[in-house]
Amino acid sequence: MAARPGTVGIVIGAVLTVVGGVPCLLCAGLAVSARFGPASSDPHGYTMIFGTLFAVICAVPMLAGLAILLPSIHRRRSSYPGQHDVGQHNDRVQP
């Protein structure tokens, strides 16, 4: 059975998502507008450089909040050829 976050976990996840997501979207919007806007608005490219940097930094708490909110049953599991299903463990050695 998958562990589900309680009320406190949901509140913490929502706060992290909003606190990280809003500045991330604003900084990413500034970087995109500096890239595709007129060159006279950002002649040296600082808005594009620092907007991208701050968007990446603000994305970390947003993604952590989303990881708390998303139940583990819905997360994708990595697999490789020959891997057994997660629920089926075979502890015996095959001859």
Side-chain angles (χ1 to χ4, degrees), residues 5 7-25 54-70 75:
T7 305
V8 175
I10 291 172
V11 169
I12 290 173
V15 167
L16 280 174
T17 302
V18 170
V19 167
V22 170
C24 179
L25 289 175
F54 292 144
V56 169
I57 291 171
C58 290
V60 173
M62 178 187 67
L63 294 174
L66 287 175
I68 292 171
L69 289 176
L70 185 66
R75 294 184 196 143

Side-chain angles (χ1 to χ4, degrees), residues 40-90:
S40 61
S41 66
D42 186 24
H44 302 292
Y46 291 132
T47 304
M48 190 169 44
I49 293 168
F50 290 112
T52 304
L53 177 69
F54 292 144
V56 169
I57 291 171
C58 290
V60 173
M62 178 187 67
L63 294 174
L66 287 175
I68 292 171
L69 289 176
L70 185 66
S72 62
I73 192 73
H74 295 295
R75 294 184 196 143
R76 295 202 55 173
R77 306 225 190 270
S78 62
S79 62
Y80 53 89
Q83 180 183 11
H84 297 291
D85 289 338
V86 175
Q88 300 175 357
H89 298 289
N90 190 359

